[in-house]
Amino acid sequence: MVDDEIEMRKGIAKKIEWSKFGFNLAGEAENGREALELAEKIIPDIVITDIKMPFMDGIKFLEKLRKSIADVKVVILTGFDEFEYAKEAIKLNVDEYVLKPISANDLIQILLKLKRQLDEEIAQKENIEALKNHYVRSMPILKEKFFSSLITNKMFKSDIEEKCRSYNINLEGIYYTVAVVNIDENKLLKYRKIRNLEESEIMKYAVLNIVNEVGYKHGINSTFMHNDKIVLLISKLIDKREVVISDVLVTLEEIRQSIEKYLKITVTIGLGTIENDVTMLQESFRNAITALDYRLILGSNRVIWIEDIEPNSKDKIIFDESMEHYLESSIKVGTKNELSLVLDEMFHKLSDGKASFKDYQVYLLGMLTSILKAAQSSNVDLAEVFGKNINIFVELYELTDLIHVIEWFKNIAFKIMNYIAQNRKDSLKFMVEKAQDYIRENYKDSDININDICTYLHISQTYFSLIFKRETKTTFINYLTAIRMEEAKKLLKTTDMKTLVIARLVGYSEPNYFSYCFKKFFCMSPSEYRNKN
């Protein structure tokens, strides 16, 4: 409820038993500015507002409100029966335009009418949603038949594309592969026993639900049951094969772990070859089934990729772009413990691999290059960190065993991390000091805003707000207001200038709003402060 007359607000608030009629009086405001701030916080269903108010009238308030909460219901409750106001109200889609005085009963009838409209709108949305759900439920059988055809028959690309359009399936990609999830029925955990066929079928669909959930999170939407196994058709638009492999394996491992965690059963996942043509999904599926056969040798409860174990498999040890990003990110924004874990994980992969000595060297050079890239992008002075005469690559080649290599890498990474953290801290402090100087130099400008400062500093508003509050323990608006108020206090105390002149000098184009802010800040009006001092 918005009205500058406190008696009117309180009178309406007290006379109506809001909860009895299914309402909750969410808040009150005495002018449009306060109302706008409050509305953006609580997101009301209905707003009751006066028109003539100080600082921001009802029409201006509604214009701004409609931009942020388009579907809010509005009741204008005013003592001004003027044509221009009514015309503006029609433009803003005001639901009710009522002249004061109005009885509590009449107001309730208006609100109940709006409540019925809201209920109808909600019901209509729910009905549309129900129709959508019905449509979605009718599609799975056709989709599943199409998916089965993709992995069992050789299809023309044009037929595949036509079916995808008909069933609203996205199989667009640069690389394609198939994964098959097999429940390890002979290795169920002791506390999860399947007693009959019905429970077995329920378990399969429980597994399918988890596969769908994790797969959807990673952009995999084509999963289905085929011959008691769960099949994932995976398409990736990423143009780096190594990134695709890493991404898919991470997703499948998350699926495996989630199933074990939530269902207390284990699964083995076979991953087929990585193909670059959607018509080759049949070949990838055949290889995924072959990969599952290797669980007899390698053991179950794992992800088995056919290219890891067949003669034409790719390199086992690859320091790919995802790992590079992972390492750089840990150095720049991680903790010492997180960085240590990342390095341990990467060296664990190295120690488990079966590659040549050259492959090990390439892998280590990839790691070192990533660390140096993180340093370079953060303007780290390597000579300052390690000394002028150090040659990092020579030092690396002189190391003779993995334990010393690990210690050496961690030492370098930790030093660079500490340098970046300290430099960031100093940079943030300097940036906030520049912002404070800018505010002190430009507070007289009534149009100064946070966007001006962010443009000056070349940073985003979100980031500026975060660092400014963290360094100063206050917000930009509060800091600007404090500067203006202190200057206004000084002028009131040391000059005989009029209040309206002082208001302009400290950045307020509206003298009334200046007086309002001054009183709110110092608990007395400008004239009271001048008389007192």
Side-chain angles (χ1 to χ4, degrees):
M1 183 185 300
V2 191
D3 199 318
D4 60 334
E5 297 179 25
I6 190 168
E7 294 85 0
M8 173 65 70
R9 291 202 321 270
K10 298 301 180 186
I12 292 175
K14 289 179 180 177
K15 285 180 182 177
I16 296 175
E17 297 181 59
W18 300 96
S19 59
K20 177 181 176 182
F21 299 99
F23 293 100
N24 173 38
L25 184 60
E28 302 175 33
E30 63 177 303
N31 59 64
R33 288 189 181 184
E34 286 187 7
L36 190 61
E37 290 178 8
L38 186 61
E40 288 176 347
K41 287 180 183 176
I42 62 178
I43 315 296
D45 295 311
I46 301 174
V47 170
I48 304 171
T49 182
D50 194 2
I51 288 184
K52 284 198 173 181
M53 296 180 291
F55 310 135
M56 184 188 289
D57 64 21
I59 296 298
K60 193 69 178 174
F61 160 59
L62 292 177
E63 285 178 3
K64 292 180 177 292
L65 180 68
R66 284 293 186 200
K67 291 178 182 177
S68 55
I69 314 174
D71 57 353
V72 64
K73 302 293 182 186
V74 176
V75 178
I76 288 184
L77 193 62
T78 183
F80 298 92
D81 185 13
E82 295 183 19
F83 176 71
E84 286 303 318
Y85 281 132
K87 193 164 69 172
E88 289 297 321
I90 290 170
K91 280 185 192 176
L92 294 168
N93 294 324
V94 170
D95 298 275
E96 296 287 341
Y97 189 93
V98 184
L99 292 177
K100 299 176 184 176
I102 183 173
S103 68
N105 185 58
D106 289 343
L107 181 56
I108 278 295
Q109 294 308 312
I110 290 172
L111 294 177
L112 288 174
K113 174 185 171 185
L114 296 180
K115 185 174 182 294
R116 286 193 293 273
Q117 290 178 14
L118 284 168
D119 291 340
E120 287 172 4
E121 289 170 8
I122 292 170
Q124 185 178 13
K125 287 177 183 176
E126 288 176 348
N127 187 44
I128 292 171
E129 193 62 33
L131 290 173
K132 286 182 180 177
N133 289 337
H134 177 72
Y135 174 75
V136 169
R137 285 195 299 270
S138 68
M139 293 299 291
I141 296 174
L142 292 173
K143 283 185 178 180
E144 199 158 306
K145 284 185 67 177
F146 168 56
F147 289 150
S148 293
S149 297
L150 276 174
I151 62 173
T152 55
N153 303 310
K154 187 74 173 177
M155 295 181 67
F156 290 110
K157 192 170 185 177
S158 57
D159 293 338
I160 294 172
E161 290 172 348
E162 183 184 346
K163 291 286 186 182
C164 285
R165 283 193 296 270
S166 299
Y167 300 146
N168 194 27
I169 295 168
N170 182 10
L171 280 180
E172 186 179 356
I174 296 173
Y175 288 102
Y176 301 86
T177 188
V178 177
V180 179
V181 180
N182 182 75
I183 297 174
D184 299 329
E185 295 183 5
N186 61 334
K187 294 195 72 176
L188 295 176
L189 299 186
K190 292 179 180 178
Y191 41 88
R192 169 60 94 178
K193 298 292 184 182
I194 305 299
R195 290 172 292 195
N196 53 49
L197 181 61
E198 183 181 358
E199 283 193 15
S200 177
E201 291 300 310
I202 292 172
M203 185 58 64
K204 287 174 189 174
Y205 281 96
V207 171
L208 178 61
N209 283 335
I210 291 179
V211 172
N212 279 328
E213 185 178 327
V214 178
Y216 181 80
K217 186 172 74 172
H218 293 276
I220 302 170
N221 302 309
S222 304
T223 58
F224 60 103
M225 296 290 296
H226 181 78
N227 294 341
D228 288 335
K229 291 179 176 59
I230 295 164
V231 181
L232 297 88
L233 304 183
I234 303 170
S235 58
K236 294 288 183 180
L237 278 167
I238 305 167
D239 62 357
K240 298 287 186 182
R241 192 177 193 275
E242 294 80 7
V243 177
V244 171
I245 294 165
S246 176
D247 186 37
V248 171
L249 289 174
V250 168
T251 301
L252 296 179
E253 180 59 23
E254 183 179 341
I255 288 172
R256 187 196 66 77
Q257 291 181 13
S258 297
I259 291 168
E260 184 171 0
K261 178 180 178 181
Y262 295 109
L263 299 182
K264 311 303 180 189
I265 65 170
T266 65
V267 296
T268 303
I269 304 176
L271 177 63
T273 46
I274 310 296
E275 307 290 350
N276 56 12
D277 192 327
V278 69
T279 62
M280 296 296 289
L281 284 171
Q282 178 194 18
E283 181 68 15
S284 184
F285 171 71
R286 184 184 65 77
N287 283 294
I289 294 297
T290 302
L292 280 177
D293 292 339
Y294 278 91
R295 68 187 183 276
L296 300 173
I297 301 169
L298 301 175
S300 55
N301 190 23
R302 65 180 66 244
V303 178
I304 304 173
W305 183 32
I306 191 64
E307 293 187 24
D308 270 338
I309 50 182
E310 293 282 17
N312 62 347
S313 63
K314 308 302 176 185
D315 293 337
K316 309 292 192 302
I317 300 177
I318 301 172
F319 190 79
D320 58 29
E321 288 183 2
S322 65
M323 295 170 70
E324 180 180 331
H325 174 75
Y326 195 25
L327 181 54
E328 285 189 40
S329 176
S330 299
I331 291 172
K332 289 180 179 180
V333 298
T335 64
K336 185 175 181 180
N337 185 51
E338 288 170 348
L339 176 56
S340 181
L341 290 173
V342 168
L343 290 169
D344 286 342
E345 182 182 332
M346 290 179 175
F347 279 108
H348 179 72
K349 179 177 179 180
L350 184 65
S351 62
D352 278 357
K354 297 177 181 178
S356 66
F357 181 69
K358 282 192 175 182
D359 290 331
Y360 285 126
Q361 288 180 318
V362 170
Y363 187 94
L364 291 174
L365 285 173
M367 288 181 63
L368 182 56
T369 302
S370 290
I371 293 172
L372 295 179
K373 275 185 180 179
Q376 184 184 40
S377 64
S378 300
N379 298 317
V380 175
D381 186 342
L382 294 176
E384 185 179 337
V385 177
F386 302 110
K388 291 182 180 179
N389 299 321
I390 189 173
N391 189 321
I392 292 177
F393 291 93
V394 170
E395 282 195 2
L396 174 59
Y397 277 105
E398 288 177 350
L399 299 171
T400 57
D401 62 83
L402 191 57
I403 294 174
H404 289 97
V405 169
I406 294 171
E407 290 176 354
W408 184 83
F409 265 88
K410 286 188 175 182
N411 180 52
I412 286 180
F414 291 156
K415 282 185 177 180
I416 291 175
M417 169 189 267
N418 291 337
Y419 186 99
I420 292 171
Q422 184 59 46
N423 192 46
R424 184 186 296 116
K425 186 177 179 182
D426 295 340
S427 298
L428 293 182
K429 186 177 180 182
F430 176 70
M431 195 174 293
V432 170
E433 287 174 353
K434 281 184 70 176
Q436 290 173 314
D437 290 340
Y438 184 93
I439 293 169
R440 282 192 288 268
E441 291 171 8
N442 295 278
Y443 71 89
K444 295 179 181 180
D445 181 359
S446 62
D447 292 325
I448 184 176
N449 57 55
I450 195 170
N451 186 52
D452 295 335
I453 294 180
C454 293
T455 302
Y456 171 68
L457 296 174
H458 306 293
I459 60 175
S460 70
Q461 291 187 25
T462 303
Y463 184 59
F464 171 78
S465 298
L466 175 69
I467 64 173
F468 190 88
K469 188 163 187 180
R470 190 167 66 189
E471 291 293 322
T472 64
K473 311 304 180 191
T474 188
T475 63
F476 158 75
I477 289 296
N478 289 341
Y479 186 85
L480 173 62
T481 302
I483 294 290
R484 285 172 166 172
M485 292 298 106
E486 288 302 322
E487 184 61 24
K489 187 171 72 170
K490 187 192 302 181
L491 292 173
L492 286 167
K493 191 173 182 179
T494 59
T495 74
D496 59 355
M497 287 187 285
K498 293 182 179 180
T499 302
L500 62 90
V501 175
I502 292 175
R504 285 198 299 273
L505 287 175
V506 297
Y508 291 91
S509 57
E510 299 174 28
N512 289 340
Y513 188 59
F514 162 72
S515 298
Y516 171 82
C517 292
F518 190 97
K519 188 170 184 179
K520 193 171 183 180
F521 196 88
F522 292 114
C523 298
M524 64 178 75
S525 67
S527 57
E528 287 172 344
Y529 178 82
R530 173 170 272 168
N531 293 335
K532 183 178 178 182
N533 291 275

